[in-house]
């Protein structure tokens, strides 16, 4: 399975961002990608007041454009994330489309990014966003995949639940900042991949120092052995990476971490809402 992580520059106009995404997706398809991934909040600047301002209902103009892009390029599209309006509430939502343009999955960011680091970043998503409440996996010809958004990766239980649901890889549209990125971006992806013996693919926006929020960038692909397969810098570009699920199965057979869990002593389960 070949994955293309599209680390694009995010402009102030959703229309311009859709045009940029469309051009990059064409390049991803030309490069032989089976699955393409866009960044978190790729359609608008990453600022809390913008989320309700640019929010659209599922099936709206942005949703339809993404569906068309998946179909035009005959690939699976993990469409980053966009602000979704539902009943007056705004969610940070990622849609997944199949090569026919059908929406096959939808994830609303479960863990909202509310931090205040002394001498560093302050950002409060809960000021304008509502948290999601569901684990998200979806089926592909290569097996079951998992989906979460940025801060969700910080919670090992959430990642483990996707692995226990059968996810062979997890896609993570994200936008770590210049405080947390250098410290925790690569470490988080390596640790979650190693602990769950899965592939992780993280796609971030390119860095724009003229914006109010500065993305760390560094879109990344990690494998079930906890290794970084490839990583970009902070600039715009496409990262191509392969997932070898035969190798994943071999690693799980030779070092059967998931089978060695002492389920007679502890358990982890999703509480269905």
């Amino acid at each position: 399975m070949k994955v293309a992580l599209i680390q694009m520059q995010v402009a102030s106009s959703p229309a311009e961002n859709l045009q940029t995404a469309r051009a990059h997706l064409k390049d991803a398809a030309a490069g032989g990608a089976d699955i393409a991934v866009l960044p978190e909040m790729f359609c608008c600047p990453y600022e809390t007041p913008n989320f309700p301002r640019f929010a659209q209902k599922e099936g709206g103009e942005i949703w339809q454009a993404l569906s068309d892009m998946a179909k035009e390029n005959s690939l699976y599209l993990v469409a980053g994330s966009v602000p979704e309006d539902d009943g007056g509430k705004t969610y940070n939502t990622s849609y997944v489309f199949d090569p026919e343009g059908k929406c096959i999955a939808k994830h609303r960011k479960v863990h909202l990014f509310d931090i205040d680091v002394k001498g560093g970043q302050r950002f409060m998503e809960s000021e304008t966003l509502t948290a999601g409440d569901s684990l998200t996996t979806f089926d592909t010809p290569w097996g079951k995949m998992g989906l979460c958004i940025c801060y969700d990766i910080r919670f090992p239980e959430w990642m483990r639940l996707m692995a226990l649901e059968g996810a062979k890889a997890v896609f993570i549209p994200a936008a770590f900042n210049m405080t947390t990125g250098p410290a925790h971006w690569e470490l988080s992806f390596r640790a979650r991949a190693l602990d769950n013996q899965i592939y992780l693919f993280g796609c971030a926006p390119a860095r724009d120092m003229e914006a109010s929020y500065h993305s760390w960038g560094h879109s990344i692909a990690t494998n079930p052995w906890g290794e970084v397969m490839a990583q970009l810098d902070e600039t715009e570009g496409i990262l191509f990476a392969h997932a070898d699920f035969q190798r994943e199965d071999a690693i799980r057979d030779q070092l059967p971490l998931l089978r060695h869990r002492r389920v007679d002593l502890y358990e982890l389960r999703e509480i269905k809402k």
Side-chain angles (χ1 to χ4, degrees), residues 150-217:
C150 199
Y151 197 50
D152 287 336
I153 196 178
R154 295 276 191 169
F155 300 87
E157 305 91 339
W158 201 244
M159 300 297 295
R160 173 55 58 86
L161 281 170
M162 283 186 277
L164 295 178
E165 286 277 333
K168 300 175 75 65
V170 176
F171 298 94
I172 309 172
F176 275 40
N177 58 56
M178 296 295 290
T179 300
T180 60
H184 301 148
W185 173 261
E186 182 179 314
L187 176 62
S188 296
F189 277 86
R190 292 186 66 190
R192 298 294 92 78
L194 175 64
D195 289 346
N196 297 290
Q197 298 180 314
I198 54 177
Y199 286 92
L200 260 63
F201 298 99
C203 187
R207 190 178 307 164
D208 179 1
M209 294 307 294
E210 295 183 2
S212 63
Y213 184 93
H214 304 145
S215 170
W216 172 239

Side-chain angles (χ1 to χ4, degrees), residues 95-110:
Y95 299 107
V96 181
F97 299 91
D98 71 10
E100 298 299 319
K102 178 183 178 183
C103 186
I104 59 172
K106 168 183 173 179
H107 178 71
R108 288 170 169 171
K109 190 174 188 177
V110 169

Side-chain angles (χ1 to χ4, degrees), residues 241-255:
H242 284 90
D244 180 351
F245 294 120
Q246 288 186 334
R247 185 186 181 205
E248 180 174 282
D249 291 340
I251 288 172
R252 289 183 172 189
D253 285 340
Q254 296 165 33
L255 182 61

